[in-house]
Amino acid sequence: MIRSVIAGTGGYLPARSLSNDELAAEYNLDTSDAWISERTGIRRRHMAAPGETTADMGAAACREALARAGADASEVDAIILATATPDSAFPSTATRVQEKLGIRQGFSFDISAACTGFIYALGVADSMIRTGACRSALVVGAEAFTRILDWSDRGTCVLFGDGAGAVLLRATEVAGEGTDSGILSTHLHSDGRHGDILQVEGGLVRMAGREVFRHAVSKLASAVDEALKANGLDQTDVQWLVPHQANARIIDAMGRKLGLPPERVVVTVDRHANTSAASIPLALADATRDGRIGAGDLVLMEAIGGGLTWGAALARF
Ligand code: UT7
């Protein structure tokens, strides 16, 4: 049987990084480092340079994923890119990344599932690899979120940042059902009734933070339970939690639910803020680069975002 194995991870952050105080001063915000860090865990965020596109950031993340997999762009036959901040409605940001990487074969397309985008993209790519529609895929989350923030709304503009992350998935023949390497399963959900609590309206992000928070804790918990159950696994089997990075309080709650010590939960929200679809692959890149996550480790990913969309994925590295 065929499994999608994570062959390499990569991440890219724009050069410019602003602390909470620097952001407040630059945009004349009525806020404080204390409020932002206590409520969210966020201390800094990166901001794309003028003219730096979502595709530029996505391509940079892909280059690292390919290099770390020891792969050449010529082996990639799909690019599936999740973003809420595409450079244009079309061509898709994925095809722009394809062009930047010099890839001439295969296909590429974008996925729209807001902050859950990477889990959705992983699910689609894994399904396509398992059915033989492609042999390898770059799965990317890339966002220039600071371009859609309302700088007069302190309740949202302090929360987000820019960046991109990517993984290279490779079709790998495994002996049988019992062989659990690669993506074990993905679990995708949405409920459009709650679309208005986190949306882009008139080109800018609007969020009813408390409402989203309330949904986050219960929906993430049920997606995580679903993923473990589908694989006959127990929470004690999970070695790493790599959650979407929206709020340290939500991340801590999920870590506690799984009974994981804090050092087994990958956290980047302090340095990156919420990078939407990019946050999970950026966190994966962080924790594989420094050797925390290694071969054989069982990694649980989960996210919730606008739609509402939410989901979870389990992967053995
Ligand atoms: O990535 C997609 C998923 N997104 C999420 O998971 C986000 C989930 N939500 C959250 O993380 C939290 O709800 C927030 C961090 C967004 C907000 O925290 P909160 O504890 O829910 O605060 P709140 O929005 O209820 O606001 C509390 C107070 C308000 O003042 P009053 O009405 O109590 O006087 C706000 O006006 O804090 C005020 N406030 C601020 N004060 C200083 C809101 N934003 C700020 C700010 N600085 N930046």
Side-chain angles (χ1 to χ4, degrees):
M1 66 180 276
I2 295 176
R3 277 272 169 80
S4 318
V5 168
I6 298 179
T9 62
Y12 172 82
L13 292 159
R16 188 158 187 247
S17 162
L18 280 86
S19 69
N20 292 337
D21 284 338
E22 288 163 344
L23 188 83
E26 179 154 337
Y27 291 92
N28 198 19
L29 304 173
D30 177 18
T31 186
S32 65
D33 175 55
W35 191 96
I36 301 169
S37 56
E38 280 163 22
R39 299 278 175 136
T40 70
I42 295 166
R43 297 186 179 278
R44 317 186 62 84
R45 77 284 294 137
H46 290 257
M47 280 179 93
E52 188 171 37
T53 65
T54 301
D56 289 330
M57 294 188 278
C62 288
R63 283 188 198 101
E64 188 190 357
L66 288 169
R68 296 190 69 225
D72 190 82
S74 61
E75 86 166 61
V76 175
D77 50 18
I79 302 173
I80 303 180
L81 184 145
T83 187
T85 49
D87 295 317
S88 55
F90 63 85
S92 68
T93 304
T95 57
R96 291 177 191 267
V97 168
Q98 184 190 29
E99 192 274 324
K100 285 177 192 297
L101 296 177
I103 296 173
R104 301 286 174 264
Q105 70 284 351
F107 57 89
S108 33
F109 61 93
D110 287 359
I111 282 190
S112 169
C115 295
T116 320
F118 183 75
I119 301 280
Y120 270 57
L122 205 61
V124 172
D126 180 44
S127 301
M128 295 189 84
I129 285 176
R130 285 176 191 252
T131 59
C134 56
R135 296 281 306 164
S136 71
L138 280 164
V139 183
V140 194
E143 301 279 15
F145 229 81
T146 61
R147 300 225 169 101
I148 59 166
L149 298 177
D150 176 354
W151 296 104
S152 67
D153 176 12
R154 66 178 182 171
T156 54
C157 71
V158 302
L159 304 175
F160 295 92
D162 301 333
V167 300
L168 178 69
L169 295 184
R170 265 198 194 121
T172 307
E173 296 287 343
V174 297
E177 279 295 341
T179 319
D180 69 340
S181 66
I183 309 294
L184 304 190
S185 64
T186 55
H187 305 270
L188 313 182
H189 295 279
S190 66
D191 186 344
R193 286 176 302 169
H194 309 300
D196 58 348
I197 65 172
L198 176 48
Q199 62 179 331
V200 174
E201 202 185 12
L204 299 173
V205 176
R206 302 276 171 235
M207 177 166 76
R210 241 176 229 184
E211 277 291 285
V212 178
F213 197 103
R214 195 174 55 77
H215 283 286
V217 178
S218 62
K219 289 187 163 54
L220 291 173
S222 79
V224 160
D225 286 341
E226 184 187 357
L228 292 172
K229 202 167 166 219
N231 293 282
L233 293 167
D234 186 75
Q235 63 186 52
T236 56
D237 296 312
V238 175
Q239 279 149 307
W240 294 98
L241 175 64
V242 181
H244 170 50
Q245 308 278 322
N247 186 317
R249 287 183 289 150
I250 299 174
I251 294 171
D252 291 348
M254 293 305 295
R256 278 197 305 276
K257 178 193 150 46
L258 289 161
L260 282 170
E263 62 272 18
R264 289 272 157 186
V265 181
V266 179
V267 177
T268 57
V269 70
D270 52 335
R271 290 163 287 142
H272 302 174
N274 182 347
T275 58
S276 183
S279 87
I280 290 176
L282 268 169
L284 285 175
D286 220 47
T288 47
R289 242 184 242 131
D290 65 20
R292 271 176 292 166
I293 297 179
D297 285 352
L298 184 68
V299 175
L300 176 60
M301 298 165 254
E302 39 85 340
I304 182 163
L308 286 177
T309 54
W310 67 99
L314 267 170
R316 176 87 62 191
F317 270 67

